[in-house]
Amino acid sequence: KNQVEQSPQSLIILEGKNCTLQCNYTVSPFSNLRWYKQDTGRGPVSLTIMTFSENTKSNGRYTATLDADTKQSSLHITASQLSDSASYICVVSGNNRLAFGKGNQVVVIP
Amino acid sequence: EAGVAQSPRYKIIEKRQSVAFWCNPISGHATLYWYQQILGQGPKLLIQFQNNGVVDDSQLPKDRFSAERLKGVDSTLKIQPAKLEDSAVYLCASSLDPAQLPSSYNEQFFGPGTRLTVL
């Protein structure tokens, strides 16, 4: 069983709307959680990183939250733009290893 | 600052042929990673180097995959012979020596990847 589960697998949203992506993990011990954005044909790029003591982190229109007690994280995209169309990958670090989720595929349409 | 470079960007081969990928990490990054990303999946670690030594190759199919990092800089990943299920994007990433930064914040920087199609 994958240690990082993301939902929804894919979603389509209208430009200007908000959306929230979910990440649940079972990695233990926990070190940090990153959200990556992967554009088509590109490598992943880090958006945010949170450690155990941080429960929210923003990067422009991207806001990530972390609940280390329930082992859940979310990535909220505000006022989506066409350039937000990408795969968003949740990556959890623990015990000197990284566990990757399968990604949330987001398509923003005009 | 230049990013992680990979070549080729695309490769199409027939099964049982051999193929090699090249990666040039960010200057000064001691740690280098090779990942396999199958369509619709997250990246899967194949091998991790610290300078020119192997740290983790537990998920590398060693009967057909090999990797080296001579002189602790560039790296090559080879598949010989290729199978249909090897069709994927092969990502290279690099990061600073974990000893130089708190492990909580050590970030991996990814290259654009090589898309391999095995026919």
Side-chain angles (χ1 to χ4, degrees):
Chain A
K1 180 173 167 58
N2 199 8
Q3 291 185 295
V4 179
E5 298 286 350
Q6 293 187 241
S7 63
Q9 182 177 350
S10 62
L11 77 161
I12 299 173
I13 58 173
L14 288 173
E15 185 179 11
K17 297 296 185 182
N18 304 335
C19 71
T20 300
L21 313 175
Q22 300 291 342
C23 172
N24 296 340
Y25 62 92
T26 59
V27 174
S28 182
F30 172 84
S31 178
N32 64 66
L33 185 148
R34 283 187 189 273
W35 281 94
Y36 280 87
K37 179 186 179 190
Q38 186 173 23
D39 292 314
T40 301
R42 301 282 190 95
V45 175
S46 179
L47 290 175
T48 63
I49 177 173
M50 289 176 292
T51 59
F52 186 88
S53 59
E54 298 170 300
N55 55 22
T56 188
K57 186 72 71 75
S58 291
N59 179 357
R61 294 178 296 100
Y62 301 103
T63 300
T65 65
L66 172 66
D67 186 333
D69 291 331
T70 61
K71 298 186 177 181
Q72 295 179 325
S73 176
S74 66
L75 181 69
H76 186 76
I77 305 175
T78 303
S80 61
Q81 299 178 359
L82 297 179
S83 59
D84 293 330
S85 295
S87 177
Y88 293 84
I89 304 174
C90 176
V91 183
V92 183
S93 174
N95 216 15
N96 290 320
R97 285 179 176 265
L98 294 182
F100 287 78
K102 293 183 178 181
N104 306 100
Q105 186 67 44
V106 174
V107 175
V108 181
I109 59 175
Chain B
E1 170 181 274
V4 176
Q6 290 188 246
S7 68
R9 291 296 314 276
Y10 305 92
K11 190 73 177 180
I12 300 174
I13 62 173
E14 295 186 345
K15 60 183 179 182
R16 291 187 289 274
Q17 285 187 321
S18 302
V19 65
F21 312 127
W22 173 82
C23 172
N24 180 235
I26 292 173
S27 177
H29 280 195
T31 311
L32 185 146
Y33 313 79
W34 281 103
Y35 289 90
Q36 180 193 59
Q37 187 176 24
I38 293 173
L39 185 65
Q41 307 277 323
K44 168 189 152 185
L45 180 68
L46 293 176
I47 189 167
Q48 176 182 344
F49 291 95
Q50 181 72 16
N51 297 308
N52 60 355
V54 176
V55 173
D56 183 355
D57 64 356
S58 57
Q59 298 193 87
L60 186 73
K62 298 179 185 64
D63 58 333
R64 298 184 301 105
F65 286 65
S66 64
E68 60 182 10
R69 190 183 184 196
L70 299 176
K71 301 180 182 179
V73 182
D74 293 4
S75 177
T76 56
L77 175 69
K78 297 179 182 178
I79 307 175
Q80 180 181 5
K83 293 185 176 181
L84 296 178
E85 58 261 36
D86 297 333
S87 294
V89 174
Y90 290 84
L91 293 166
C92 179
S94 69
S95 65
L96 289 166
D97 184 340
Q100 296 179 355
L101 281 176
S103 61
S104 298
Y105 289 91
N106 201 12
E107 179 178 352
Q108 293 187 24
F109 295 84
F110 287 83
T114 296
R115 181 175 296 278
L116 173 68
T117 301
V118 182
L119 304 175

